[in-house]
Amino acid sequence: MSREADTSVHVLGVRHHGPGSARSVRAALEKLQPDVVLIEGPPDADALIPLAAHAEMKPPVALLVYAIDRPAQAVFYPFAVFSPEWQALQYALERTLPVRFIDLPQTHQMAPEDEGTEEGRDPEPKASAEAGSPRGDPLGALARAAGYEDGELWWEHLIEQRREPEGVFEAVLEAMSALREGEGELSPREARREAHMRRGIRQAKKDGFQRIAVICGAWHAPALVRQRPAREDDALLKGLPKTKVAATWIPWTYDRLGWRSGYGAGVESPGWYAHLWLTPQRPVTSWAARIAHLLREEGLDASSANVIETVRLAEALAALRGLSTVGLGELRDAALSVMCGGDATPLVLVHEKLEVGTGLGSVPSEVPSVPLARDLATLQKSLRLPPSSESKLQELDLRKDMDRDRSRLLHRLRLLDIPWGTPEEDPRNTTGTFRETWRLKWEPELSVRIVEASLFGNTVESAATGRVVARASDATELGTLTALLEASLLAELSAAIDTVLRHVQALSTRSADVPKLLEAFPALAHAVRYGSVRETPTAPILAIADGLFERILIGLPGACVSLDDEAAHQRRDQLRAMHAAVALLEGGERTEEWAEALGQLVHRDSVHGLVRGAALRLRVELGRVGDEELGTLSRRALSAAVPPDEAAAWLEGLVSGSALLLLHRQELWAALDGWLSGLAREAFVEHLPLVRRAFASFSTAERRAMGERVKQLATASAAGSAAAATEDLDPERVAKVLPVLSTLLGVRIHEAV
């Protein structure tokens, strides 16, 4: 049963983000002069509304609402400067009008019996679980009825670029009412949401307000215009479960307003919409000028004449397409033709930097937050590392106190699963331990990670220490503990290091799994290396590493026998990592023991060919194998008695790595040439892919040098054969043939000789 529309209530159905909708809302509020403003949003955040007027509040921002006992369960309510709700908030706060959120509180939506969706807002206009229903894509349904294939394009031309707001909300209400007819029952969650919004309107009436303005998603507008009996809504909302929630403002980014972020009510080009809002006069010309400026910054040609031609072409395209105004599509096509010369590559940059935008909002310090967030903000300010939505490289020199403190912060955040920074390879390929390169990019979701991490402590240091201790207590693998130890050293968490070392010591003494020990040892070696650079005591770590090293030497031969191909590749990689770790520790006696252990693998026929070849390669790198021994081992491994697949595996293990180390080993290449030459045709065809795989990792220049080496082998072989043939000739018989040859060739005998 429905009732007639209440003339004291003015429902403004909007799209959640759009400059046209925002402009229309602002104009409608100016005309209505309401006593109270009601907005579709979380009542749990009503206390935070006054902060929206703070001088330091700069959109895009978002309301974050999360369950106190389950911080990972959180929802965001993003606001841009062109969001209708944001403009409604600003209108009310500028005039000190009462303003409230009236959506179903998250304290109910996040309750375990009725968990909320990942996004806080209604999935308008596209995202919905009801595929094929107008409710799932209301704009798409209206666009198709109007002859458009794209609902986004239809809405932009009809609403977002509209200059005159008159009649917009009446038309939207009528269209949505028609779409909702015959849609059937709403889902329980949607029914409760609309019931709570109607309850909020009734409460405003009870409070004595005469002119009530309601800003909500266009889909909900028909349900709020015509009030239902209060008892029906009360029945829907009776007995809803509750959970404790907290709310705060957080910075947001334009790219998180886009479709690709997964936010259902997003827009494809928030940067373009911000431009339309902030530059209402001559937006087409100014946008073309911004494209030209961006291209010039990237070293590309873009003149003033190009800007003029781009604008003219965009206007012509709009006319040809029957559009009243130039849209982003026309500007994009015009820029592609005029400024980019038909090359779409620069348009990727235009899309990222301008159409989507890279802006990161800011919130005032008075915003409520967990102590960990405040400590992080203090550290970011003192270390001069402001968060940014742009991806930037940060090079750190650990010999400088400021850079060392920055490195320590970034490593601690990684331990807390707050990946603000990601380590990258140094572009200069330096081998020193005093330089680090990080890729920094702040994502809004990290605010939720901070709330989660606050369970471990109130400062970055204490929280990282608590997280490491907790993970060490739960660890059952030695490799996990040694990796945790290395990370703790990089983060300089002295209290956590002692705890992890105790767990490493206890678990290493019980572990008899040599492959696991092989995985753990390199991390300990790195821990010693980075510990010395960061002035961390490494003697206890080195003692544990020495204990592991001895156990590895004892069990290594047994761990390398009876391996299949997959296990052999894994063991080969472990040997390489172990070899590099031994080199890091720079111990003479340790290196000798490692070389001896590798020698046992080289001469043990039960070891997989790949592992034997890799062990020989590592001994060559240590300078423990001469040319004669290498030739002997190569001829034996590549002899006709060895199965071709085993010989190919041995070869792969030996040659993989630096080509320079083996390039001038004549005996090796002679043995390889003899092996390949002696293969039967069928065996050669079968094992050629294995041989090619062994050489696949080398560069073109290295393979060319190897080819020259093989060519020299062939030349030397031919010369040797000719010399041998000459030595076998009988001089007396040659003397009898020479007169005949001289007659045939027409030369004198002494010339022929």
Side-chain angles (χ1 to χ4, degrees):
M1 179 179 178
S2 63
R3 294 184 178 180
E4 294 299 321
D6 191 335
T7 56
S8 65
V9 179
H10 303 272
V11 179
L12 309 180
V14 300
R15 183 186 190 220
H16 286 309
H17 302 298
S21 296
R23 196 171 287 112
S24 298
V25 164
R26 193 80 187 208
L29 293 177
E30 294 284 358
K31 181 179 179 180
L32 292 173
Q33 295 293 307
D35 302 323
V36 63
V37 177
L38 307 180
I39 300 174
E40 178 190 336
D44 321 79
D46 275 351
L48 300 175
I49 290 177
L51 289 172
H54 197 285
E56 297 179 12
M57 184 73 80
K58 178 185 176 183
V61 293
L63 282 171
L64 166 64
V65 185
Y66 60 92
I68 294 177
D69 57 344
R70 291 167 293 147
Q73 188 175 1
V75 292
F76 304 98
Y77 292 80
F79 298 87
V81 68
F82 52 83
S83 300
E85 296 91 340
W86 181 259
Q87 290 302 318
L89 283 174
Q90 297 304 310
Y91 173 87
L93 294 173
E94 289 167 5
R95 292 159 178 77
T96 64
L97 295 177
V99 55
R100 305 170 183 173
F101 290 130
I102 58 172
D103 201 352
L104 182 65
Q106 288 295 332
T107 187
H108 298 307
Q109 297 195 55
M110 287 187 179
E113 295 83 1
D114 185 22
E115 294 187 357
T117 60
E118 194 175 328
E119 312 300 344
R121 290 242 179 98
D122 202 32
E124 297 182 28
K126 285 188 175 179
S128 176
E130 303 177 42
S133 165
R135 185 184 310 166
D137 185 8
L139 298 189
L142 292 173
R144 287 188 293 272
Y148 282 73
E149 294 182 359
D150 185 359
E152 283 287 312
L153 182 62
W154 172 80
W155 183 268
E156 179 177 338
H157 289 161
L158 187 69
I159 302 297
E160 303 308 342
Q161 296 185 9
R162 187 185 182 96
R163 299 297 179 87
E164 298 297 331
E166 293 294 332
V168 169
F169 297 111
E170 291 79 1
V172 169
L173 176 61
E174 182 179 356
M176 292 300 169
S177 299
L179 287 176
R180 293 193 61 155
E181 290 180 2
E183 270 295 290
E185 294 294 328
L186 295 174
S187 66
R189 175 179 176 271
E190 292 303 302
R192 288 193 290 268
R193 290 184 62 203
E194 291 185 351
H196 197 276
M197 285 190 266
R198 287 190 292 267
R199 175 185 281 182
I201 294 173
R202 283 192 289 269
Q203 183 61 48
K205 292 180 182 179
K206 290 180 181 178
D207 293 340
F209 296 111
Q210 300 299 317
R211 295 185 303 279
I212 302 171
V214 181
I215 292 85
C216 65
W219 181 258
H220 300 298
L224 304 187
V225 168
R226 299 184 181 277
Q227 287 283 316
R228 298 176 59 180
R231 62 178 181 274
E232 295 182 11
D233 290 338
D234 292 341
L236 283 173
L237 300 173
K238 184 179 180 181
L240 291 180
K242 288 186 177 182
T243 190
K244 291 184 177 180
V245 300
T248 186
W249 287 103
I250 63 170
W252 202 252
T253 59
Y254 275 141
D255 62 345
R256 279 299 182 268
L257 291 171
W259 287 109
R260 61 182 178 175
S261 71
Y263 177 59
V267 292
E268 293 181 348
S269 305
W272 164 248
Y273 274 2
H275 176 77
L276 289 178
W277 175 262
L278 298 172
T279 316
Q281 303 297 327
R282 305 180 66 83
V284 175
T285 303
S286 56
W287 183 260
R290 290 182 63 187
I291 295 177
H293 181 71
L294 175 63
L295 295 179
R296 284 196 293 268
E297 284 184 341
E298 298 297 325
L300 302 175
D301 292 333
S303 65
S304 300
N306 291 146
V307 174
I308 296 172
E309 289 302 317
T310 298
V311 173
R312 288 176 176 174
L313 180 55
E315 292 173 344
L317 287 173
L320 287 172
R321 294 169 180 175
L323 304 176
S324 59
T325 56
V326 175
L328 181 60
E330 289 69 48
L331 278 165
R332 187 185 294 128
D333 292 342
L336 172 62
S337 177
V338 177
M339 294 191 189
C340 303
D343 182 5
T345 304
L347 286 184
V348 177
L349 180 67
V350 173
H351 176 76
E352 294 291 335
K353 298 289 187 179
L354 297 183
E355 295 179 9
V356 174
T358 58
L360 175 67
S362 62
V363 299
S365 56
E366 291 85 344
V367 166
S369 60
V370 294
L372 178 60
R374 293 194 292 271
D375 182 60
L376 175 57
T378 301
L379 290 171
Q380 289 172 330
K381 185 176 181 179
S382 63
L383 296 177
R384 296 196 291 276
L385 275 179
S388 171
S389 63
E390 292 191 65
S391 180
K392 296 181 179 180
L393 276 180
Q394 183 75 44
E395 296 183 3
L396 303 178
D397 186 342
L398 302 184
R399 296 170 296 184
K400 300 178 181 179
D401 292 339
M402 176 68 77
D403 282 358
R404 180 172 167 178
D405 291 342
R406 290 170 173 172
S407 171
R408 181 166 54 229
L409 171 63
L410 294 172
H411 280 294
R412 288 175 177 178
L413 291 177
R414 282 176 58 82
L415 282 170
L416 290 171
D417 290 332
I418 304 174
W420 176 25
T422 304
E424 292 201 352
E425 294 292 332
D426 194 313
R428 287 163 294 193
N429 295 320
T430 57
T431 57
T433 61
F434 60 84
R435 190 178 300 279
E436 289 181 350
T437 303
W438 293 81
R439 174 74 62 179
L440 301 183
K441 184 178 182 181
W442 186 264
E443 303 283 4
E445 291 84 352
L446 298 181
S447 299
V448 179
R449 300 284 187 93
I450 293 173
V451 175
E452 292 180 270
S454 66
L455 298 175
F456 295 97
N458 292 331
T459 65
V460 173
E461 181 178 4
S462 64
T465 300
R467 181 66 185 274
V468 169
V469 170
R471 291 176 61 186
S473 301
D474 296 337
T476 58
E477 297 288 344
L478 189 58
T480 302
L481 283 173
T482 53
L484 197 59
L485 176 62
E486 182 181 0
S488 300
L489 281 167
L490 295 173
E492 300 185 36
L493 299 172
S494 55
I497 291 171
D498 295 339
T499 301
V500 177
L501 275 175
R502 288 196 297 270
H503 286 282
V504 171
Q505 180 67 45
L507 194 57
S508 63
T509 56
R510 300 195 302 266
S511 177
D513 191 341
V514 174
K516 295 296 183 184
L517 298 179
L518 284 170
E519 291 179 358
F521 186 83
L524 289 176
H526 279 271
V528 172
R529 173 191 182 188
Y530 282 109
S532 60
V533 172
R534 296 169 186 270
E535 303 176 3
T536 304
T538 58
I541 307 174
L542 191 58
I544 296 175
D546 285 337
L548 258 65
F549 182 71
E550 295 301 327
R551 299 179 64 188
I552 288 172
L553 295 183
I554 294 172
L556 186 60
C560 294
V561 299
S562 302
L563 301 177
D564 58 19
D565 291 342
E566 182 179 355
H569 278 87
Q570 181 181 10
R571 197 71 75 248
R572 187 268 307 269
D573 294 340
Q574 291 173 340
L575 289 179
R576 288 177 174 177
M578 183 75 185
H579 185 78
V582 172
L584 276 180
L585 295 178
E586 299 177 347
E589 183 178 350
R590 193 182 295 108
T591 302
E592 291 297 330
E593 292 177 350
W594 175 242
E596 184 178 347
L598 291 173
Q600 296 179 32
L601 301 181
V602 169
H603 298 284
R604 193 166 183 174
D605 293 336
S606 59
V607 175
H608 193 282
L610 180 71
V611 177
R612 283 191 290 111
L616 178 58
R617 168 66 187 234
L618 297 178
R619 280 180 55 82
V620 170
E621 292 181 4
L622 290 173
R624 300 300 195 277
V625 181
D627 289 345
E628 183 177 351
E629 182 184 358
L630 180 61
T632 301
L633 292 172
S634 300
R635 287 190 293 272
R636 188 180 75 178
L638 299 175
S639 67
V642 178
D645 54 346
E646 183 178 343
W650 180 89
L651 180 64
E652 180 183 354
L654 175 64
V655 303
S656 297
S658 172
L660 185 62
L661 187 68
L662 302 175
L663 191 58
H664 300 290
R665 299 296 184 116
Q666 187 79 9
E667 295 291 335
L668 168 64
W669 295 104
L672 174 60
D673 181 60
W675 174 64
L676 288 174
S677 301
L679 288 177
R681 177 181 177 83
E682 294 77 9
F684 179 83
V685 173
E686 179 181 354
H687 293 93
L688 181 60
L690 299 177
V691 177
R692 296 181 68 177
R693 184 178 67 182
F695 291 88
S697 61
F698 296 118
S699 66
T700 302
E702 290 173 330
R703 288 198 294 269
R704 185 182 299 111
M706 293 176 181
E708 292 294 330
R709 173 59 60 185
V710 174
K711 183 178 179 181
Q712 292 172 10
L713 284 175
T715 303
S717 177
S721 300
T726 303
E727 292 175 358
D728 293 338
L729 294 176
D730 185 346
E732 293 183 0
R733 298 182 65 184
V734 169
K736 295 178 180 180
V737 174
L738 283 178
V740 178
L741 288 176
S742 65
T743 302
L744 293 175
L745 297 176
V747 295
R748 297 178 181 180
I749 293 178
H750 70 274
E751 292 177 351
V753 175

